[in-house]
Amino acid sequence: MRKHFEFLANQTISGGMSRREFMGRTAALGLGAVAANSLLGSVAQAAGPIKGGTAKFGIGGGQSTDSLDPALSLNQMTFMVQRTWAETLLDVNPDGTLDMRLAESYDSSDDAKTWSFRIRKDVTFHNGKTVTPEDVKQTLLRHSDKDSKSGALGVMRNISGVKVDGDSVVVELTNANADLPYLMSDFHLMIQPNGGRDDPAAAIGTNAYKLVEAEPGVRFAFERNPDYWDSSRGHFDAIEMMVINDDTARNAALQSGQLHIVNKISPKVAGLLSRAPGLSIERVAGRGHYVFVMMCDREPFHTKELRNALKYAIDRKDMVDKILRGYGTVGNDFPINSAYPFFDESIPQREYDPEKAASLYKASGHDGSPIVLRVSDSAFPGAVDAAQLYMESAKAAGIPLEIKREPSDGYWSNVWNKQPFCASYWEGRTVQDQMYSTAYVSSADWNDTHFYNDHFDELLIQAKGELDQSKRKKLYSEMAYLVRDEGGLICPMFNDFIEGVSDKIGGWEKNGVFQLMNGLAPVKCWMAS
């Protein structure tokens, strides 16, 4: 019977029957819908890559002010666009191991302060120019410049020098860092001709697709790069990415077959969509988290008592149940969960405590005026509903929370990292050092809570170079306590990535590093039928 089921699956993939007919015939033979979908997916995967076709993506999280400069990438759309036309030195596999991309190997000194990356030969940019170690050097220098606006600056400040040595690029660090290869996978660090110094937004990279049309906030179009160096990637003839910030419109386009892949499926409709014909709902747990961020140096959040009052005033479990609907886990007001290698599971879980919140609120001396929390649908799926839940739970503590709904377009440029209290999301980073260096060290441009703590900064430097694993875990644990108890992060939940994928797509794999297969769905997937 198994062989017969596989025969039917192969017929479906080759176009000999529709998916609906496949599901009907397998059901009649006693195979459940879940098992049938799983079988269809595994057979499509085993069939291997098929060249051709145009893949259409619907991406929520773009805006009209988006830049093509990788340094300025700050939302889901710019992330996907950069990952389609450009590449980093290394990448992170689904199992957490490193994947050699434009670097074919690396090594380090015993003290982890000097790292050498051997650059892959015979790789060309989209303009026909051969990638050289000098291009890599200039890329790293541009992103590590103290005046850079790069989103990777937080992880690059530790670089004291970069030089070319034959086919390699040598990176010197001020302080030791055992995780530097992982930091080189940061999606801002796309290798560009002359480091992008001449025209950072030219979108000239080395990846499997060339950007041929760009209308920020609306649409991006790509065509296959015929000179791409990795034959295992780049199967579509062309790719279209549409910015669709409205969840209902994005889901409807997937259901109707206008789109093949979409991101940001809301948990409240994921179950319903999973029963729709011709598509599957893919979910993977990872490091992503939905948050509310307070700026510690802005009134009224400059008092620790008020910050902690607001942390005790949120019902995390209720929010996970009602907003995530099982597609995630409870957060604990620091940005690390069990997906990270040095997570400290012994840190007590902060619980909803309106009485304690009320006591801290009174001790803060706040004048009783409304505390404005700015939110938008683009912050994360269910952000507005989550804010309403938060307002109700805070009311029980006597805290006057007021919700101000902001438009999606311009939210990331006008509200996030500008206003003192707003909803946001982080897709996490591959290792603790990268997450903390990007958003919590005092010097980070993306320190959206304005958390400036000298002791935290010192601990981060120690943890970077600590090679003893148990000691390193203790350092990261102390840092987690500082963020949790002193900082401006309210982290009620870690979200699963929930994405919709047409049955016409093959090659899908689970990767919890970032959304849509760590942004690699465009270059790894193919048309299965």
Side-chain angles (χ1 to χ4, degrees), residues 3-120:
K3 289 184 177 180
H4 184 60
F5 286 144
E6 290 179 350
F7 169 77
L8 295 176
N10 278 304
Q11 286 287 99
T12 305
I13 292 167
S14 64
M17 72 171 67
S18 68
R19 181 182 182 279
R20 185 184 295 275
E21 184 181 358
F22 168 78
M23 297 299 288
R25 293 179 66 173
T26 53
L29 293 170
L31 189 66
V34 174
N37 275 319
S38 177
L39 174 63
L40 195 61
S42 63
V43 170
Q45 189 80 15
I50 300 171
K51 298 291 185 181
T54 297
K56 297 184 178 181
F57 288 70
I59 306 296
Q63 54 188 13
S64 59
T65 55
D66 286 343
S67 172
L68 289 173
D69 180 358
L72 305 180
S73 178
L74 53 70
N75 58 38
Q76 294 103 325
M77 190 70 201
T78 52
F79 168 71
M80 291 302 300
V81 170
Q82 316 293 8
R83 293 284 278 170
T84 305
W85 65 261
E87 293 178 288
T88 51
L89 287 179
L90 300 98
D91 219 333
V92 182
N93 292 313
D95 62 0
T97 59
L98 286 167
D99 178 21
M100 298 294 108
R101 301 313 297 163
L102 297 186
E104 61 181 12
S105 64
Y106 67 88
D107 56 43
S108 75
S109 59
D110 291 340
D111 62 2
K113 292 181 70 175
T114 302
W115 292 82
S116 178
F117 298 88
R118 187 177 182 85
I119 307 306
R120 194 177 297 277

Side-chain angles (χ1 to χ4, degrees), residues 7 40 82 104 131 192 196 214 253 272 274 297 342 346 354 356 385 394-395 410 423 481 493 501 510:
F7 169 77
L40 195 61
Q82 316 293 8
E104 61 181 12
V131 177
Q192 297 175 271
L272 181 63
S274 69
D297 61 347
F342 297 104
S346 71
K356 189 165 187 176
D385 291 339
K395 186 184 297 183
Y481 273 106
M493 48 192 167
V501 184
K510 292 185 181 296

Side-chain angles (χ1 to χ4, degrees), residues 209-253:
Y209 294 93
K210 298 179 179 181
L211 182 65
V212 293
E213 293 181 43
E215 190 175 354
V218 181
R219 175 180 177 272
F220 297 86
F222 305 82
E223 64 180 22
R224 183 193 289 155
N225 173 16
D227 301 317
Y228 187 49
W229 61 273
D230 186 349
S231 60
S232 71
R233 298 185 177 189
H235 309 298
F236 304 117
D237 286 335
I239 293 171
E240 293 182 25
M241 290 186 187
M242 274 68 77
V243 178
I244 308 176
N245 287 325
D246 183 84
D247 292 352
T248 302
R250 197 168 57 249
N251 296 340

Side-chain angles (χ1 to χ4, degrees), residues 188-483:
H188 299 92
L189 302 178
M190 299 299 180
I191 306 304
Q192 297 175 271
N194 195 31
R197 293 185 182 277
D198 304 321
D199 187 355
I204 297 174
T206 63
N207 215 332
Y209 294 93
K210 298 179 179 181
L211 182 65
V212 293
E213 293 181 43
E215 190 175 354
V218 181
R219 175 180 177 272
F220 297 86
F222 305 82
E223 64 180 22
R224 183 193 289 155
N225 173 16
D227 301 317
Y228 187 49
W229 61 273
D230 186 349
S231 60
S232 71
R233 298 185 177 189
H235 309 298
F236 304 117
D237 286 335
I239 293 171
E240 293 182 25
M241 290 186 187
M242 274 68 77
V243 178
I244 308 176
N245 287 325
D246 183 84
D247 292 352
T248 302
R250 197 168 57 249
N251 296 340
L254 175 68
Q255 286 183 277
S256 68
Q258 297 175 63
L259 299 174
H260 298 110
I261 298 176
V262 303
N263 71 338
K264 295 181 67 174
I265 296 289
S266 173
K268 67 182 180 182
V269 301
L272 181 63
L273 280 177
S274 69
R275 297 193 292 272
L279 62 89
S280 60
I281 299 301
E282 300 290 346
R283 62 179 290 190
V284 59
R287 300 160 174 83
H289 44 292
Y290 297 157
V291 299
F292 301 104
V293 291
M294 305 172 283
M295 291 183 175
C296 299
D297 61 347
R298 299 270 293 274
E299 293 186 359
F301 311 105
H302 61 298
T303 68
K304 183 173 72 171
E305 289 80 8
L306 181 63
R307 296 196 299 271
N308 285 336
L310 287 163
K311 293 175 185 179
Y312 281 104
I314 192 166
D315 190 334
R316 292 164 181 77
K317 186 178 185 306
D318 186 53
M319 198 166 287
V320 168
D321 290 343
K322 293 178 178 176
I323 302 301
L324 295 186
R325 304 192 183 204
Y327 291 93
T329 56
V330 170
N332 201 16
D333 296 341
F334 62 98
I336 306 301
N337 65 357
S338 59
Y340 287 87
F342 297 104
F343 174 70
D344 184 355
E345 63 284 346
S346 71
I347 297 176
Q349 174 63 52
R350 178 166 283 153
E351 304 287 351
Y352 174 50
D353 190 336
E355 291 184 4
K356 189 165 187 176
S359 176
L360 286 165
Y361 176 68
K362 182 178 180 180
S364 74
H366 186 255
D367 62 9
S369 61
I371 298 172
V372 178
L373 169 61
R374 298 172 188 270
V375 300
S376 168
D377 292 325
S378 68
F380 57 81
V384 176
D385 291 339
Q388 293 293 335
L389 285 176
Y390 188 10
M391 184 174 68
E392 291 302 315
S393 65
K395 186 184 297 183
I399 298 177
L401 206 58
E402 178 181 303
I403 308 304
K404 180 173 176 54
R405 189 167 183 171
E406 300 280 358
S408 293
D409 192 40
Y411 185 79
W412 298 110
S413 55
N414 299 326
V415 178
W416 176 77
N417 221 1
K418 299 283 195 311
Q419 297 295 334
F421 194 22
C422 72
S424 185
Y425 82 98
W426 282 91
E427 292 196 352
R429 293 297 187 268
T430 53
V431 290
Q432 279 101 316
D433 173 38
Q434 192 175 11
M435 188 68 242
Y436 285 137
S437 294
T438 299
Y440 296 91
V441 71
S442 296
S443 58
D445 285 348
W446 282 13
N447 184 345
D448 55 7
T449 57
H450 290 201
F451 177 62
Y452 307 127
N453 187 293
D454 291 340
H455 185 45
F456 178 91
D457 296 347
E458 293 167 359
L459 290 170
L460 181 59
I461 291 173
Q462 292 180 47
K464 287 175 186 286
E466 180 56 67
L467 302 181
D468 183 296
Q469 304 297 292
S470 61
K471 291 181 180 178
R472 200 174 193 201
K473 183 174 181 176
K474 289 180 181 178
L475 291 169
Y476 282 129
S477 177
E478 187 175 352
M479 291 161 64
Y481 273 106
L482 284 172
V483 171

Side-chain angles (χ1 to χ4, degrees), residues 92-94 284-285 497 508-518 520 524:
V92 182
N93 292 313
V284 59
F497 296 125
W508 187 269
E509 66 182 17
K510 292 185 181 296
N511 190 323
V513 178
F514 287 114
Q515 65 159 4
L516 296 171
M517 295 172 48
N518 191 18
L520 295 176
K524 282 191 169 185

